[in-house]
Amino acid sequence: TTNVTKVYVKYGGFPRLVTLFDALESASTSDAILKLHAGDVFSGTLFFSLFTGYADMQLMSPMCFHAMGIGNHEFDLGNAPLEEFLYNLTEATTSQCEAPTKILAANIVPPVDTTLESLLLPYMIQEYDNDQKVAIIGLTTNLTKSMSSPNAGTTFNDEVTVLTETVAALEAEGINKIIAMTHTGYDFDTAAISTVAGVDAIVGSHSHSLLGDLEELGPLGIPKGSFPSMVNGVCIVQAWSNGHV
């Protein structure tokens, strides 16, 4: 046919993401930048099938994420590959970045005296100019037990209960800027996470939700909502899936 239209889309990938963040940090006059990965590094490509996380770690580490959450797919092969991946990521970012990537999972209780227990934190606090403190709390869907293959003795507590308790503890310390980094899905984030008093923003994942203006997104797909989505006064964002956007 002669009726052909060429379509070009600026389309994802870690090299592009690293370049964009480097440009953002170079151009910014503020240090108030957070780089967060909300989970599901594992599974989905031949890179993972061949290297069980090592290739993914090498792609992620130059990004120098401040924090990473845990997705349900991180447990697809049990706890051991996840422990190795997180240890390697922590070691790589310790040497390459200003600070190692923190691994956040407030509602996961791993078996005691394991590598996983030593690596997981419920939250981190990032300090900015004028003594401003921002807390980031990591949450993983408590359906992981049935969706994946965590080792026996790995517990996933109720997300809203844990978040409510953690926010209260942080506010008692005078911290009033709180981000929930969730691997629970857009619908759960809007319906449940956004109702927790004290949460200001949600950086979500799990549901692979494309958010944004359809005119800007073009042929990428039908957006689930606006970017950001404002629900109960909480700013909710999600970046689709697989580093596409």
Side-chain angles (χ1 to χ4, degrees), residues 96-166:
Q96 295 180 33
C97 309
E98 291 185 4
T101 298
K102 303 293 192 304
I103 315 302
L104 307 183
N107 67 317
I108 299 178
V109 183
V112 296
D113 297 328
T114 61
T115 301
L116 193 58
E117 184 189 37
S118 68
L119 290 170
L120 298 186
L121 299 169
Y123 60 84
M124 66 172 288
I125 297 172
Q126 188 77 5
E127 295 195 37
Y128 292 107
D129 294 337
N130 303 319
D131 297 322
Q132 297 296 316
K133 296 180 179 180
V134 177
I136 304 99
I137 304 168
L139 295 166
T140 303
T141 174
N142 67 6
L143 298 177
T144 298
K145 196 78 174 179
S146 58
M147 298 171 68
S148 194
S149 303
N151 286 17
T154 307
T155 301
F156 299 82
N157 291 324
D158 180 76
E159 308 96 326
V160 173
T161 301
V162 170
L163 179 61
T164 302
E165 293 172 350
T166 306

Side-chain angles (χ1 to χ4, degrees), residues 211-224:
L211 303 180
D213 186 332
L214 187 58
E215 291 184 4
E216 293 182 2
L217 295 171
L220 291 180
I222 303 300
K224 179 85 170 178

Side-chain angles (χ1 to χ4, degrees), residues 5-198:
T5 301
K6 292 183 178 180
V7 176
Y8 297 92
V9 178
K10 292 181 178 180
Y11 192 69
F14 266 101
R16 180 168 178 260
L17 292 174
V18 171
T19 300
L20 287 170
F21 268 113
D22 285 347
L24 177 64
E25 291 175 313
S26 297
S28 178
T29 58
S30 168
D31 66 345
I33 293 173
L34 270 177
K35 292 180 284 186
L36 305 176
H37 191 303
D40 268 5
V41 176
F42 279 18
S43 301
T45 71
L46 288 175
F47 285 108
F48 181 77
S49 300
L50 287 169
F51 304 111
T52 59
Y54 188 74
D56 304 273
M57 179 277 295
Q58 289 185 309
L59 285 168
M60 283 183 63
S61 55
M63 181 78 86
C64 294
F65 286 104
H66 290 91
M68 173 191 161
I70 301 295
N72 54 288
H73 282 298
E74 263 70 86
F75 290 96
D76 280 356
L77 300 179
N79 289 22
L82 174 58
E83 290 175 338
E84 182 177 5
F85 167 80
L86 295 178
Y87 176 82
N88 288 334
L89 179 66
T90 302
E91 289 293 297
T93 53
T94 296
S95 60
Q96 295 180 33
C97 309
E98 291 185 4
T101 298
K102 303 293 192 304
I103 315 302
L104 307 183
N107 67 317
I108 299 178
V109 183
V112 296
D113 297 328
T114 61
T115 301
L116 193 58
E117 184 189 37
S118 68
L119 290 170
L120 298 186
L121 299 169
Y123 60 84
M124 66 172 288
I125 297 172
Q126 188 77 5
E127 295 195 37
Y128 292 107
D129 294 337
N130 303 319
D131 297 322
Q132 297 296 316
K133 296 180 179 180
V134 177
I136 304 99
I137 304 168
L139 295 166
T140 303
T141 174
N142 67 6
L143 298 177
T144 298
K145 196 78 174 179
S146 58
M147 298 171 68
S148 194
S149 303
N151 286 17
T154 307
T155 301
F156 299 82
N157 291 324
D158 180 76
E159 308 96 326
V160 173
T161 301
V162 170
L163 179 61
T164 302
E165 293 172 350
T166 306
V167 168
L170 288 166
E171 289 184 329
E173 296 178 20
I175 298 172
N176 63 359
K177 298 171 183 64
I178 297 175
I179 298 171
M181 182 173 64
T182 65
H183 197 91
T184 53
Y186 182 77
D187 290 341
F188 191 82
D189 288 344
T190 56
I193 301 294
S194 70
T195 66
V196 177

